[in-house]
Amino acid sequence: MRSLSNRQLLLIFFAFAAFLGIVLNEAGYLEPLEGVILRLISPLQARLATLVETSGGLFRAARDLRDLRQRNQELEEKYAQLLIENVALEEAAQENATLRSFFHFAQQHPGFQLVGGEVKASVIGRDPSNFLRYLIIDAGEAQGVKKDMPVIVPRGLVGRVQSVGSNWAKVLLITDPRSSVSAVIQTGRAAGQVQGLVSGDLMMKYISQEESVSEGEIVLTSGLGANFPKGLVIGQVVAVQQRDSDMFQQATVRPTVDFDRLEMVLVIAAFEPVDVTDEIQEETRGAGEP
Amino acid sequence: MIGCNPYLVVPLLLTVALLQTTALPALEILGVKPELMLLMVLAWSLLRGVEEGLVWAFLGGLMLDLFSGGPVGASALALLVVSFLSGLARGSVTRGSFVLPIGVALVGTLLYQTLFLVVIQLTRGTVPWTDNLFRVTLPSLAVNALLMPVIFWVMAWLDRKTGREEIGW
């Protein structure tokens, strides 16, 4: 028989001690010893409990802080999201108002066929030069825009298409000095030619001296020359220059359109401008022949 | 020949042209838009000389013409001339002094705008010279002279950062 190893002896010893402890405890012999030990340990236990409680509080506080931070971050994200949505809604409301005015305009002028994303084209750029007044819009041949088509907003005439690309067009504003529009005063029906000025205003020239023109009168397109449809608002007379020595009188016209704030425009697609260049050349040649 | 990296120059000039057609019209001073491209080309020509200036003038001018209702080449042509003259003054530039850049801005603006209007007159007709002089050119001279030190300072920084590179085409 092999002798028992130390480990086996130790196991037997502790098992026996435990068994003895149980027996003595059940018999009530261990209570005094238990009381002494607990009395010695309890202060330490209390301190340990406080320490655990405190550290537990710290851990809870750290966890709470982490939760708060997370919550704060979530709220900030939510706020940013709502802010963006709010801006988008305001933009949508603005766009809606513009589109509604465009729609009313379209209803009031059923003869015009409006193009550019169905009814509108956005202004995507302006001429970089200080001498030229052009707009670049995001509607072109693909949307049915062609050269010389009139461009308007519900407030009035903007200009006409000067050149077209596949999805863009350059619009010559009526305030450009190279622009000329046949016009008529709404009340007196005095006819003239509205030209752009470097200042950004308009000048209605070649008004007959016999006509009476006064400040505040509305200037409309006359349709003469077939470059623009008849009856579009151009602006309002703010000053009249009339001298008896001149052959014509002229009037300074303030445009109804705020060209600096244009964001969307309408292109009148159904209107076909008439090119009279050939006829004029033919007439000139005819006049020159004997 | 192009100066700094061409992969940087083209986007840089395109960005400037885009700024000039989108953002700068809203920042009018004395009723005129700041001519950022003109000032940049003038400053670069002063710093790097005729060759590099001409490349910038040509590319920048074409990009401006791309967004303009004027004839293609009008800005490029006008910029080429003023850039050439500005480049000739390269040797006289003193670091830290803005007297020459301001002078170049004044002469450059006057010449650039005159050349541009001549091209417009020849191609489109009807240029109200007197009105343009008082309402555009004179305010532009003031605005460009005011902005030139800032632009020149930025371009001098870019000049130091990029150094000279000889890139053949």
Side-chain angles (χ1 to χ4, degrees), chain A residues 11-190:
Chain A
L11 177 66
I12 291 166
F13 171 75
F14 281 125
F16 177 73
F19 179 72
L20 188 64
I22 291 167
V23 172
L24 289 175
N25 189 54
E26 287 302 307
Y29 291 112
L30 285 183
E31 275 182 10
L33 182 65
E34 193 179 12
V36 171
I37 293 170
L38 281 178
R39 199 180 303 133
L40 289 173
I41 289 176
S42 60
L44 188 66
Q45 190 183 19
R47 287 192 182 185
L48 194 64
T50 310
L51 189 66
V52 169
E53 178 66 24
T54 311
S55 59
L58 280 175
F59 283 124
R60 269 198 303 279
R63 197 176 57 234
D64 288 349
L65 189 63
R66 193 192 60 206
D67 290 347
L68 279 172
R69 277 186 183 154
Q70 194 175 344
R71 181 82 182 134
N72 188 42
Q73 194 177 346
E74 284 172 7
L75 285 172
E76 275 185 3
E77 282 172 7
K78 188 87 177 165
Y79 171 73
Q81 183 71 28
L82 287 172
L83 200 67
I84 292 166
E85 280 176 17
N86 192 35
V87 170
L89 282 173
E90 279 178 10
E91 279 294 302
Q94 185 76 30
E95 192 177 1
N96 191 23
T98 311
L99 288 175
R100 195 177 292 128
S101 68
F102 282 12
F103 180 65
H104 288 154
F105 181 85
Q107 278 186 325
Q108 285 163 7
H109 301 80
F112 299 156
Q113 184 190 334
L114 308 169
V115 297
E118 291 305 311
V119 292
K120 67 174 184 1
S122 295
V123 175
I124 55 171
R126 289 161 199 280
D127 201 290
S129 168
N130 279 311
F131 297 109
L132 305 173
R133 292 178 190 273
Y134 283 84
L135 289 181
I136 305 173
I137 59 172
D138 67 350
E141 284 167 352
Q143 288 77 27
V145 177
K146 290 178 187 162
K147 190 173 182 290
D148 289 333
M149 280 181 175
V151 179
I152 57 166
V153 289
R155 285 181 69 89
L157 182 63
V158 172
R160 68 161 175 262
V161 175
Q162 180 78 25
S163 54
V164 197
S166 58
N167 55 358
W168 58 266
K170 288 178 185 171
V171 179
L172 176 70
L173 300 181
I174 56 169
T175 49
D176 188 285
R178 283 150 290 279
S179 163
S180 185
V181 183
S182 296
V184 66
I185 305 277
Q186 190 178 27
T187 45
R189 311 310 290 179

Side-chain angles (χ1 to χ4, degrees), chain B residues 68-117:
Chain B
S68 172
V72 174
S75 301
L77 182 70
L79 276 180
L80 281 170
V81 174
V82 295
S83 153
F84 177 79
L85 294 176
S86 174
L88 293 179
R90 184 186 171 212
S92 313
V93 177
T94 314
R95 300 264 176 197
S97 168
F98 293 122
V99 177
L100 184 64
I102 290 172
V104 166
L106 288 170
V107 177
T109 301
L110 193 64
L111 193 56
Y112 168 77
Q113 294 197 347
T114 307
L115 287 169
F116 185 82
L117 282 179

